[in-house]
Amino acid sequence: MTTGGPPRFGELLRQFRLSATLSQEALAERAGLSVDAVRALERGRRSSPRPDTLAMLFDALDLGPDDRQQLVAAANPTSKNGPRPASRPVRPSRTQALGPLFGREREQMAITDLLLRDDARVVTLLGPGGVGKTRLATAIADAVESEFRHGIIFVDLAPLRTATLVGPTIAQVLGLREVGVNDAEHVLLEFLSVQQLLLVLDNFEHVTAAAGLVGDIRDRCPSVTMLVTSRVPLQLRGEQRVPLQPLAIPSRRDGQYRDVEASAAVHLFVARAQSVQPSFELTPTNLDDVAAICARLDGLPLAIEMAAARIGLLPPKALRKRLTSRLNVLTGGLRDLPPRQRTLRATIDWSYGLLSEAEQRLFRGLSVFAAEWSLDAAEIVCGNETEDAPFVLDLLEGLVDGSLVRLVETEDGEPRYTMLETMREFASERAREVGGTDGLSRRHAGYYLDLAETAEDHLVSAEQTDWLNRLEREHDNLRAALGWTVQSEEAETGLRLAGALWRFWWQRGYLSEGIAWFDQLLKQPQAVSTVVRARALNGAGNLNWTRGDLEKAWRLHTECLALRRELGDEAEIAKSLNNLGLVATYLERESDAVAHFEESLEMHRRIGHQRPIAGVLVNLGELVMQLGDLGRADELIQESLRLYREFGDPRGTADSLHNLGGLAGDLRQFGRARTYLAESVALYAEVGDQHGIASCLQDYAAVLVASGAFERAVWLLGCATHIRATFGGRMTPVELARYERLIDTTRNTLGSDAFDGAMAYGATLPIDEARAMVCA
């Protein structure tokens, strides 16, 4: 069993195993070793085996004296320059792990597995400054050290100012003789060619011109594996990239932080705070403040450690208040950190300085976006009026590679991007320094105004759900645009935007928010066109009516009708009449309501507008049902259902089905009621209409009461009540009367204690589970 040169231990062991017709599993079992140990030995990734391990292998393979001697020699190889180093090179003491590693278990396991694979020679750990790349790399190096015969070499590249010094610096850490730059790389490659070690290259982002040296080590040093930390990829063939995200932060739902004590970011904050103030602990009093601090710092470990270090001076509540400007508060840092990491601003500035001028310009411009953005939005908002417009995609790629911008995966495959709030604050500061952000904000508001006005017509079409979801995805940017119009006193733009969004706010349950925007914008003194003001009054009136402020809704719709009569637009006049009819219904002014509905219906029929007719029909049907004419109510609502189905309007279809379900329940046709309500609640869920879901749950509770399922009925009533309390909305007189009857009936049947318990349980019931009870 000879080869052209002395075989390596792993190769020789594999030859002996195959000659014995043993699998790795069989050899492991015979030798009393783990399968992983055998694999590591054959790959050459484990340090020289101990004598007892060799003895077990001898016996398991049934080797003769000559073969045993050959295996012993391979386990202790020599080169032409003498014995290989037996001791591992010493790593600088600053790389030793300091304290536990929080929230990185999954990444640590994945990267460890990569480093032990034969095909993963260059593994690059990527992420923004302060995300913890060095800390994780150090922990991984400690964990895998025994797998590399000649140990771990850790090289900090941050102090270097030129890529040509990378080779000499690695050689210096290895203790090689100092020679010229070219000779240094030659000597380095010669030395590493016979080493089996892990080379950790920390902070590579500013010396990427030295990536060629990394490629040479990969090609000429077959037993060297490299773990690189960088804010940008090396762009090498075969490079395994591992993006490192910030630590998990507490989730926030219904205005409250959840799962706080399970958050890795919170664990890190507490540990760092206790190193400063040993008595510090997480309590019910400070829980919410600590969660908010970690969330505002995006889960960035460096930022969290800097914040926690101030706990002796600023208790959590005070620290939370001051973090509205993260970059100004986080100016302290451990003295053994490099200067670029002693303030959060310096950490980000390090990455910013590595960008080209065009990339810096785009990075500053992107600060105008409040959350995610699309490629189209970036091109129009940041690329228009600059020479960068055709190259925005290429520039974005550079920002993503530089870990300043993050690519967001979407179901439709269209690229979307975002940046951490700390990055956004830094970019906004830079934008203000170089000339202000007013032009950017104006283009941003214009882009989202176009989007909202395009979406408006689609919100009453078969594409309604897709457009509602699109607006939901852009909601933070829409809010930012509205905020700019208020601050800049751009009343016309603001009222156009709010007027286009009212239906989105209505269907997705943002009633209070929408009303607040309208209130601010309608009070502005700037002159606006009559058409724009009328549309805004219409949207504000509808939201106030839904929330239950009927007198305010009446005033708004009355002013809107007057403006529309002044304009002479019959289609818009008819819509206002319908809206006033709805408000009159809720104010129990039945005769006024009937008059408004019938005038609206007649006007729509005369001008031939079929789509609005469906809405008037369902409203009039609900009113006459309230007045006791159930036969006519059924006819009117059935006609509205036919029209809504014809137009493909899921929200309108859900309204008609809901009313037909309630009507069928009043007629004690419970099978029909269940069918109508099941389809209705599914459609309401599809478009995200929480008030509609609550109404369906209530009407299905009546069906359950009729079948004797009183407790389940109260569960649904409790859930419906909770939805209305959370999202707002007012019941019609018919709904309110049904609700009160159901409450009285179920309370009297179950008794007060059981009723109260069932209502409380229903209030905690997930909406999807309650909805499933209707659809079952």
Side-chain angles (χ1 to χ4, degrees), residues 2 54 85 121 168 212 252 373 414 432 476 568 580 647 674 676 679 702:
T2 60
L54 280 173
R121 301 286 312 291
R252 187 173 172 85
W373 64 86
E414 285 298 312
R432 289 192 296 271
D476 285 333
L580 281 168
F647 301 137
R674 183 180 293 109
Y676 286 136
E679 185 180 356

Side-chain angles (χ1 to χ4, degrees), residues 500-733:
L501 288 174
W502 78 264
R503 194 177 294 273
F504 162 69
W505 288 327
W506 174 51
Q507 294 189 206
R508 286 296 168 93
Y510 298 111
L511 299 179
S512 297
E513 179 179 348
I515 288 168
W517 286 119
F518 277 120
D519 286 348
Q520 290 182 76
L521 290 161
L522 286 168
K523 289 177 183 175
Q524 290 194 321
Q526 296 78 32
V528 298
S529 68
T530 303
V531 171
V532 168
R533 183 168 182 84
R535 292 181 70 244
L537 289 166
N538 175 71
N542 287 330
L543 295 184
N544 278 281
W545 158 71
T546 305
R547 194 175 66 172
D549 194 340
L550 301 180
E551 294 296 341
K552 183 178 177 182
W554 182 265
R555 291 195 304 272
L556 291 164
H557 280 306
T558 300
E559 182 183 351
C560 178
L561 178 60
L563 291 178
R564 286 175 167 174
R565 289 195 189 278
E566 179 183 320
L567 291 166
D569 188 333
E570 286 197 324
E572 298 303 313
I573 292 170
K575 291 177 185 177
S576 287
L577 288 167
N578 176 58
N579 291 333
L580 281 168
L582 278 170
V583 180
T585 299
Y586 280 71
L587 289 170
E588 300 185 60
R589 302 175 188 172
E590 289 85 356
S591 58
D592 288 340
V594 170
H596 287 313
F597 285 141
E598 290 185 341
E599 184 181 356
S600 175
L601 190 59
E602 186 276 329
M603 193 173 288
H604 279 308
R605 292 192 192 279
R606 186 174 69 250
I607 60 181
H609 283 188
Q610 292 297 306
R611 185 180 293 276
I613 288 175
V616 183
L617 286 169
V618 75
N619 293 335
L620 182 57
E622 187 173 1
L623 176 59
V624 299
M625 179 168 56
Q626 177 181 327
L627 296 174
D629 191 346
L630 302 187
R632 188 185 178 205
D634 188 62
E635 291 175 5
L636 292 166
I637 300 171
Q638 289 287 358
E639 184 182 354
S640 76
L641 177 61
R642 178 183 62 77
L643 289 172
Y644 277 132
R645 289 197 191 280
E646 182 180 317
F647 301 137
D649 183 340
R651 176 60 173 72
T653 302
D655 280 344
S656 296
L657 289 166
H658 167 231
N659 280 284
L660 287 171
L663 179 60
D666 286 349
L667 294 170
R668 304 193 66 77
Q669 298 170 351
F670 299 121
R672 287 181 66 210
R674 183 180 293 109
T675 300
Y676 286 136
L677 293 172
E679 185 180 356
S680 178
V681 78
L683 289 172
Y684 280 135
E686 179 184 319
V687 299
D689 187 333
Q690 303 300 326
H691 179 74
I693 291 173
S695 296
C696 281
L697 296 181
Q698 177 178 309
D699 283 350
Y700 190 65
V703 174
L704 291 174
V705 166
S707 65
F710 295 101
E711 185 177 45
R712 292 176 65 208
V714 179
W715 293 350
L716 295 186
L717 289 174
C719 186
T721 302
H722 177 70
I723 292 172
R724 289 184 178 119
T726 302
F727 295 99
R730 179 185 175 91
M731 289 181 273
T732 67

Side-chain angles (χ1 to χ4, degrees), residues 99-342:
L101 188 66
F102 294 101
R104 297 300 190 198
E105 295 80 5
R106 181 176 300 176
E107 292 96 333
Q108 185 171 359
M109 289 178 60
I111 297 167
T112 298
D113 288 344
L114 267 179
L115 292 175
L116 298 181
R117 277 172 36 189
D118 290 329
D119 60 339
R121 301 286 312 291
V122 181
V123 178
T124 306
L125 187 52
L126 295 163
V131 81
K133 299 183 294 297
T134 300
R135 176 70 182 81
L136 178 58
T138 302
I140 292 169
D142 287 343
V144 301
E145 187 168 9
S146 63
E147 301 294 335
F148 293 88
R149 182 178 301 135
H150 300 116
I152 312 296
I153 304 297
F154 192 103
V155 183
D156 182 11
L157 303 175
L160 304 188
R161 291 296 174 264
T162 172
T164 59
L165 293 176
V166 171
T169 300
I170 298 174
Q172 183 180 16
V173 173
L174 286 165
L176 301 179
R177 183 168 57 90
E178 294 185 11
V179 290
V181 170
N182 294 331
D183 288 338
E185 293 191 3
H186 174 76
V187 171
L188 174 65
L189 291 170
E190 280 290 310
F191 177 81
L192 291 178
S193 67
V194 293
Q195 299 293 303
Q196 196 264 317
L197 54 78
L198 176 66
L199 178 59
V200 182
L201 301 175
D202 194 32
N203 302 301
F204 205 92
E205 57 272 354
H206 65 301
V207 289
T208 52
L213 173 60
V214 175
D216 289 342
I217 295 173
R218 175 201 61 204
D219 295 337
R220 295 175 56 183
C221 308
S223 295
V224 173
T225 296
M226 286 167 281
L227 176 60
V228 182
T229 74
S230 180
R231 303 184 192 186
V232 298
L234 275 61
Q235 306 291 356
L236 287 176
R237 176 172 42 86
E239 177 185 15
Q240 303 284 332
R241 303 177 186 177
V242 183
L244 187 60
Q245 303 299 334
L247 296 178
I249 59 177
S251 59
R252 187 173 172 85
R253 297 193 306 273
D254 301 333
Q256 291 185 326
Y257 287 102
R258 310 298 176 99
D259 306 319
V260 176
E261 295 183 64
S263 163
V266 171
H267 287 174
L268 175 60
F269 182 94
V270 172
R272 183 69 185 98
Q274 288 175 342
S275 71
V276 177
Q277 188 179 81
S279 62
F280 179 83
E281 59 182 19
L282 208 58
T283 68
T285 303
N286 65 25
L287 195 74
D288 195 65
D289 293 319
V290 171
I293 290 167
C294 293
R296 287 184 183 179
L297 297 176
D298 298 313
L300 277 175
L302 178 63
I304 291 170
E305 291 198 16
M306 287 180 176
R310 289 183 169 270
I311 205 69
L313 297 173
L314 296 172
K317 186 175 293 297
L319 183 58
R320 176 182 183 177
K321 288 180 181 178
R322 284 162 176 78
L323 279 178
T324 51
S325 177
R326 305 162 183 79
L327 300 178
N328 290 331
V329 173
L330 305 182
T331 56
L334 297 175
R335 292 178 180 175
D336 59 347
L337 287 174
R340 64 190 173 81
Q341 287 190 335
R342 291 181 191 168

Side-chain angles (χ1 to χ4, degrees), residues 19-64:
S19 295
T21 65
L22 295 174
S23 65
Q24 289 180 333
E25 290 78 6
L27 176 58
E29 184 176 355
R30 282 192 181 189
L33 301 171
S34 70
V35 177
D36 286 341
V38 172
R39 288 174 181 162
L41 288 168
E42 290 193 357
R43 287 197 300 261
R45 294 301 177 89
R46 187 176 288 276
S47 55
S48 299
R50 299 191 304 271
D52 58 332
T53 301
L54 280 173
M56 290 188 289
L57 290 171
F58 295 160
D59 293 340
L61 293 166
D62 195 22
L63 298 180

